[in-house]
Amino acid sequence: RASVAYAKGEFRNARQPCRDANFDGIPDNGTPTAADFVSRGIDVATCPTSGAINGLPKWNATLQSEYAVPIGDRGRGYLRGLFNYKGNGLIVSSNTPVKSYATVDLFAGIDYDNFRVSIFAKNIFDTTRLVDQTGALNTLGSIPTGYREVFYTKGRQVGVNVGFTFGGG
């Protein structure tokens, strides 16, 4: 099985909250007072924005395959593969580009009667990409720490699964 997806979501002159002390729709560094809001009859200053809704990749693709063979009359062995591709993206909070990348996962196993055993290797080429990060973190409510939370693709993972089903059903 294979799939390819393209998604492009954009704002066009959408209103978003902003710091706009003189309420002209252009962000600035001023600080409006509560009286300024009341005198203009608004609750939140807003500015128009255009651009991507998020930084997710526009292109994504997957390719999945399985080969299975019978083992006697009560079991089967299998080999599965999964290829995932993510196109270029953007971390919106820091305007950091994310280069396109692909991962490959492999699975092999035997299901026999009530017993299952499988091995897996995920991200076998150990592809590493920064895929997201938060805005600047604060401590004690408002003191900047100079740090951000960052999120990377998971590194190579190798493992074994063993299972046995008790009873019928």
Side-chain angles (χ1 to χ4, degrees):
R1 285 186 269 178
S3 69
V4 176
Y6 177 83
K8 180 181 178 185
E10 292 184 344
F11 290 113
R12 289 201 180 125
N13 294 317
R15 305 297 295 177
Q16 75 174 8
C18 68
R19 184 175 190 141
D20 181 15
N22 60 3
F23 304 101
D24 64 354
I26 300 170
D28 54 46
N29 290 326
T31 304
T33 65
D36 293 333
F37 284 98
V38 171
S39 70
R40 287 177 174 79
I42 61 172
D43 296 320
V44 176
T46 60
C47 301
T49 187
S50 296
I53 290 174
N54 59 40
L56 296 175
K58 292 180 180 129
W59 288 100
N60 292 284
T62 61
L63 177 62
Q64 179 180 328
S65 185
E66 177 178 318
Y67 176 74
V69 295
I71 299 175
D73 60 346
R74 299 187 320 208
R76 70 183 191 105
Y78 63 87
L79 178 62
R80 294 180 187 140
L82 175 63
F83 170 84
N84 278 303
Y85 168 81
K86 304 241 183 243
N88 294 325
L90 179 72
I91 299 171
V92 176
S93 65
S94 63
N95 207 31
T96 303
V98 177
K99 289 178 19 184
S100 63
Y101 66 95
T103 58
V104 176
D105 303 339
L106 296 176
F107 307 84
I110 295 172
D111 295 338
Y112 193 83
D113 212 12
N114 293 350
F115 180 73
R116 290 184 314 275
V117 63
S118 64
I119 59 173
F120 63 86
K122 296 181 180 180
N123 192 4
I124 62 172
F125 299 112
D126 203 20
T127 302
T128 303
R129 288 287 188 279
L130 173 68
V131 293
D132 200 7
Q133 69 186 30
T134 65
L137 296 174
N138 295 327
T139 187
L140 300 174
S142 62
I143 301 170
T145 63
Y147 293 100
R148 298 175 184 263
E149 264 187 298
V150 294
F151 302 91
Y152 287 87
T153 52
K154 290 184 177 182
R156 182 182 304 119
Q157 302 171 52
V158 177
V160 176
N161 290 315
V162 177
F164 186 82
T165 305
F166 295 94

